[in-house]
Amino acid sequence: MPSKHAAIRAAITGLALLSGISALSVQPAQAIPAFARKYTLDCVACHTAPPRLNTFGERFLENGYQLPGTEDGGITGKKSLGDLSLDDFANYTGVRLRGNVLRSHHFKQQNPPIADRGTVHNNSEFGFPEIFSLFTAGSLTKNIGFFAELESNLEESSTGIERAFMTFNNLGGNNLVNIRVGRIDPSATFSFSTLRQQLEFVGDSVNTSTNMVQRAGLFPLAASAKFYGLHNRSGSVISPYAPSLYNAVAETGIEVRGRPFGDWFMYQIGLLNGANETFGDSNRGKDVYGAVRFDYARTAHFSASLSGFAYLGNSNATILTGTGQADVNWHRYGIAAHVRYKMFDLYGMYTLDRIAHMPTAALTSFDTSASGLSLALDTYVTNRTLLSLRYDHMDAGGDLSQRTSQSFAGFQLKQYLRSNVAIFARTDHNLRRAEDGNAAARNLRHALFAGIDIAY
Amino acid sequence: MHVTRLKYVAILIVMGLCASTAQAVKPPLNRDTLTEGRRIYEQACAWCHGIGGEGDGPAGWFIGRYSSPRPRNFVKDGYKLRSTASGELPTDQDLFKVITRGIPGVMPSYRSLNEQERWQVIAYLKSWNPAFKEEQPVPLTFPSGPQGPTEAGIQNGRNLYVKYDCRVCHGDNGEGDGPEATAGHLRDTYELPIRATKLTDPSSFKNGASPQDIFRTLMTGMDGTPMPAYANEFAGQEEALWELVWYLRSLSGQEGS
């Protein structure tokens, strides 16, 4: 490992341990991230179980980090900036450290020697929790909010800004027009939010010399790219597991959203640069998306929603033709729903992807449609024990020689030692037959993880 | 009570002042007030308290999960945070205070609603419980405390803490780990397990942590929970109750007023 990475790793370890220790040593009511601190609330005022939001948390998010039904501008936001103290800083800043301390992947057959992990059949390792994120968010003043998240991911050896945006709320009237601009996650307010999963993302593994997936990623597959052999505009391969388009972790653009007729209906319209494009992209056009959401959230400890989106890409990906690269339009349509009743939180999404504008020459070797389904259920079996299940299915598209459809079932038990400190054990199982090929994603038979999730 | 009557004066003046400033924007009880109150309630409070005020909002379950508290049921529950005798309804001022301050851990402060909006929402939530029309809740009047704690007073407060069995629930040192608590015997009116407050952590006190607040809590009790009212035990012995208050304050290293 290059020394630069070693240094980053050491720094992160230090930071993480520090945050872990401080998280363990403070009072419950304060041992919680930014918003909870700011409003002296426990995490579960807004979350069913972090990072999943309950209805109150969803409306808080929609209102630009202000209490629903108010334009609080943040309790500290009312002070002028010169008066900000360390406490105020803590009211705006949170950290989360999460990941696996143990991971174990079991294969029917893994890859030939040229693959980057050699011929290992089964593979267990201890590690340090991979993902450390620092976020700062809140409302600066009445109806103007911000969010920035810096994430350091050891598994991917990457550190960078995940999401960063400004929010402008209640323009023209209560919940009429809310704007987000910057690097946003379009699905944040959808019935199925990409980033709010109890079963964390587990990265896929790609053979660096052949660019072939050799170990399936464990993702909510409805949110994933689902195509093999698709490239982004700078030429790098888009992993079929990468959350993308409407379900991206973050894309650059602007969005307008509101509930003009009351709580039961939400609209959302957005304009983005496109898959993995930053500001000042070379795109000919922008990607657009629109979504609607219907809600019922009134009494009986019950809430439900149903939403649908259409995402229309505009030269937002490329494919390799025999002679070079060609731009294609990558679209996605999806529907999602959630139902929550007391301890149960059930949510799911179905998506359908289509590639339009394919060069005819490439059509014989490329499947232009793909679909995905994710269904998740979280339930508190006791006050401190959360059981989560997820079913994922991908009917993959893209390069016919590589494309593999797959279905996984994941199961996780999470034990909250305190409201902000949890340990978990998880297992994922492949529900399809192994393929036994050289670089077959499906050869991953099952996987086991144990880890921690600390938020402070 | 006659002994300490003079001491009421200061408190009454302060309360009177609070009442008159807050009262200044208190809207008349009419259709418009209720309509506005309802609008605010449905956008701000219903998530937890439920659209019909029955404490069963879509987000309310997660707060206590299998334990206390659930959001208040405004249709039929009693109230915890009052200045009135045990079993009575709260005054409007009490409700105003709760909404303004919030409840640590479970309900945010609604300072972001202006005072008029807070009064409107109070009018609306009271409209669910007919008892509010029939009763006129009156606050208990409390004497102001002695100048400050003395060593001997705190020691005497400790003796009262033992004498009145606070230990049984709150633990010998106020850590919330008394035998009744650790045995899991404490329940609220819904039979949900409830924790005895950690008296060493005043920031978690729902009813406020100033000496006056604690004094009031001990007089009124917290209806719907095992926390009793001690108004009868200490009738005519307010000095002694103050000593208990000073002792509780000393548990978190706070002395004086």
Side-chain angles (χ1 to χ4, degrees):
Chain A
M1 173 164 281
S3 64
K4 196 177 102 200
H5 283 163
I8 292 177
R9 182 180 277 233
I12 289 173
T13 309
L15 250 180
L17 283 177
L18 260 180
S19 71
I21 290 163
S22 55
L24 287 164
S25 61
V26 287
Q27 297 299 325
Q30 289 129 31
I32 35 188
F35 300 136
R37 258 191 299 276
K38 179 163 157 183
Y39 295 99
T40 45
L41 288 176
D42 206 353
C43 315
V44 284
C46 286
H47 294 277
T48 58
R52 292 274 308 155
L53 293 173
N54 66 30
T55 313
F56 184 66
E58 287 176 349
R59 302 306 187 272
F60 176 79
L61 174 92
E62 286 180 31
N63 201 26
Y65 315 110
Q66 309 181 91
L67 294 175
T70 81
E71 300 178 340
D72 66 33
I75 290 167
T76 54
K78 296 207 177 72
K79 293 187 199 168
S80 69
L81 274 171
D83 296 337
L84 288 182
S85 67
L86 196 63
D87 261 5
D88 299 319
F89 177 73
N91 286 343
Y92 280 110
T93 312
V95 293
R96 185 168 172 222
L97 172 73
R98 60 194 195 276
N100 302 307
V101 175
L102 165 76
R103 18 153 137 222
S104 168
H105 290 99
H106 295 257
F107 299 87
K108 177 97 186 303
Q109 178 202 353
Q110 217 191 10
N111 308 291
I114 52 151
D116 59 1
R117 279 176 201 250
T119 51
V120 189
H121 275 250
N122 295 316
N123 161 345
S124 296
E125 53 190 308
F126 290 100
F128 189 79
E130 307 91 61
I131 309 170
F132 179 77
S133 27
L134 174 78
F135 40 92
T136 170
S139 41
L140 287 170
T141 172
K142 194 173 145 178
N143 287 328
I144 300 186
F146 68 99
F147 183 103
E149 178 186 34
L150 187 73
E151 185 168 296
S152 183
N153 191 321
L154 286 178
E155 191 185 12
E156 293 169 5
S157 302
S158 65
T159 300
I161 298 275
E162 272 301 272
R163 289 174 288 165
F165 51 80
M166 297 283 299
T167 67
F168 303 91
N169 291 83
N170 301 310
L171 306 175
N174 174 48
N175 216 347
L176 217 53
V177 172
N178 305 289
I179 295 178
R180 286 199 298 165
V181 52
R183 272 182 72 69
I184 57 179
D185 48 336
S187 75
T189 53
F190 204 59
S191 296
F192 188 100
S193 159
T194 311
L195 289 171
R196 300 189 189 277
Q197 302 287 323
Q198 284 302 335
L199 276 72
E200 269 297 333
F201 297 176
V202 176
D204 54 328
S205 165
V206 174
N207 182 329
T208 41
S209 49
T210 61
N211 263 342
M212 292 226 192
V213 176
Q214 61 185 10
R215 187 189 75 205
L218 300 168
F219 284 91
L221 295 178
S224 310
K226 303 187 284 285
F227 285 102
Y228 285 75
L230 205 57
H231 299 245
N232 67 20
R233 289 179 47 84
S234 45
S236 23
V237 182
I238 296 175
S239 156
Y241 301 98
S244 49
L245 307 190
Y246 186 73
N247 314 97
V249 169
E251 290 292 354
T252 308
I254 180 168
E255 142 187 318
V256 181
R257 173 177 40 72
R259 294 184 186 262
F261 314 119
D263 191 62
W264 64 275
F265 172 76
M266 185 181 93
Y267 76 90
Q268 183 192 26
I269 302 163
L271 195 66
L272 297 178
N273 279 343
N276 309 312
E277 298 247 9
T278 49
F279 280 116
D281 73 293
S282 56
N283 233 342
R284 280 193 297 254
K286 303 283 172 213
D287 293 4
V288 293
Y289 62 86
V292 290
R293 168 171 167 155
F294 300 92
D295 273 276
Y296 178 87
R298 298 169 68 85
T299 63
H301 303 293
F302 175 83
S303 77
S305 71
L306 178 68
S307 29
F309 72 82
Y311 183 106
L312 303 178
N314 196 341
S315 302
N316 57 340
T318 63
I319 61 149
L320 300 181
T321 59
T323 51
Q325 277 192 9
D327 280 5
V328 294
N329 296 342
W330 177 18
H331 308 319
R332 180 174 298 164
Y333 311 92
I335 51 167
H338 97 260
V339 176
R340 272 194 289 275
Y341 176 65
K342 291 191 175 168
M343 65 293 266
F344 297 109
D345 185 8
L346 176 69
Y347 45 109
M349 176 165 70
Y350 174 80
T351 59
L352 186 66
D353 285 38
R354 284 204 188 285
I355 304 279
H357 237 264
M358 274 297 282
T360 30
L363 272 173
T364 48
S365 59
F366 198 97
D367 182 350
T368 56
S369 65
S371 66
L373 174 70
S374 292
L375 275 177
L377 173 71
D378 304 326
T379 178
Y380 279 101
V381 285
T382 75
N383 240 356
R384 288 169 174 270
T385 317
L386 185 75
L387 166 71
S388 302
L389 308 167
R390 194 172 72 211
Y391 169 78
D392 284 302
H393 172 78
M394 177 201 293
D395 204 348
D399 182 353
L400 294 177
S401 65
Q402 285 188 65
R403 115 190 134 149
T404 5
S405 293
Q406 44 211 288
S407 313
F408 282 93
F411 173 96
Q412 177 177 279
L413 268 179
K414 202 171 192 178
Q415 182 69 22
Y416 286 89
L417 307 178
R418 317 176 52 111
S419 63
N420 62 326
V421 181
I423 51 174
F424 63 83
R426 159 180 177 185
T427 146
D428 291 78
H429 291 266
N430 199 327
L431 304 176
R432 303 274 204 102
R433 275 207 322 276
E435 280 188 335
D436 300 335
N438 269 2
R442 256 209 229 159
N443 291 354
L444 172 61
R445 299 316 297 162
H446 59 268
L448 198 81
F449 307 94
I452 60 162
D453 188 350
I454 296 177
Y456 179 65
Chain B
M1 290 248 186
H2 55 282
V3 209
T4 43
R5 184 152 301 156
L6 275 181
K7 292 176 180 168
Y8 299 176
V9 175
I11 282 274
L12 284 176
I13 289 172
V14 171
M15 280 180 37
L17 281 176
C18 296
S20 59
T21 47
Q23 223 89 36
V25 285
K26 190 172 173 180
L29 181 58
N30 57 28
R31 273 256 299 283
D32 288 351
T33 300
L34 289 175
T35 311
E36 262 312 283
R38 174 176 183 169
R39 184 189 61 77
I40 298 160
Y41 180 87
E42 293 188 351
Q43 287 171 5
C45 323
W47 315 113
C48 295
H49 290 283
I51 210 93
E54 296 184 89
D56 60 353
W61 189 86
F62 298 95
I63 288 171
R65 300 189 293 289
Y66 297 98
S67 59
S68 193
R70 291 269 188 269
R72 192 66 63 253
N73 178 335
F74 298 126
V75 180
K76 63 180 179 68
D77 278 354
Y79 287 77
K80 278 186 192 177
L81 314 175
R82 293 162 293 104
S83 59
T84 58
S86 178
E88 290 187 9
L89 291 172
T91 64
D92 287 2
Q93 292 297 334
D94 292 338
L95 294 171
F96 190 84
K97 199 156 112 188
V98 175
I99 295 166
T100 305
R101 296 213 288 215
I103 304 175
V106 300
M107 174 174 143
S109 146
Y110 280 95
R111 283 198 181 84
S112 47
L113 295 173
N114 68 37
E115 293 193 359
Q116 179 173 341
E117 290 171 321
R118 278 175 256 165
W119 284 120
Q120 288 164 332
V121 80
I122 287 169
Y124 182 61
L125 70 84
K126 281 171 68 183
S127 71
W128 273 307
N129 187 341
F132 274 110
K133 290 200 193 76
E134 290 144 23
E135 292 168 31
Q136 245 329 315
V138 237
L140 296 174
T141 46
F142 306 125
S144 61
Q147 280 315 319
T150 59
E151 201 71 13
I154 292 179
Q155 183 52 48
N156 198 31
R158 165 71 196 176
N159 295 340
L160 293 164
Y161 186 79
V162 175
K163 177 179 169 199
Y164 286 109
D165 276 342
C166 315
R167 290 194 301 174
V168 173
C169 298
H170 293 285
D172 204 23
N173 298 311
E175 293 290 344
D177 56 355
E180 282 294 289
T182 47
H185 290 164
L186 300 180
R187 303 277 152 152
D188 70 5
T189 37
Y190 289 94
E191 285 301 314
L192 293 168
I194 184 169
R195 282 208 299 236
T197 307
K198 216 172 147 178
L199 300 176
T200 50
D201 176 21
S203 71
S204 72
F205 290 6
K206 298 173 174 175
N207 221 348
S210 73
Q212 285 73 18
D213 288 334
I214 299 174
F215 188 97
R216 191 186 55 240
T217 303
L218 295 176
M219 291 292 277
T220 62
M222 296 173 85
D223 291 359
T225 82
M227 174 63 200
Y230 290 92
N232 292 338
E233 283 80 350
F234 287 94
Q237 309 176 43
E238 285 79 5
E239 298 290 339
L241 188 53
W242 277 112
E243 288 172 340
L244 179 54
V245 169
W246 299 129
Y247 170 67
L248 297 185
R249 300 264 300 169
S250 75
L251 287 173
S252 54
Q254 290 172 298
E255 313 276 326
S257 44

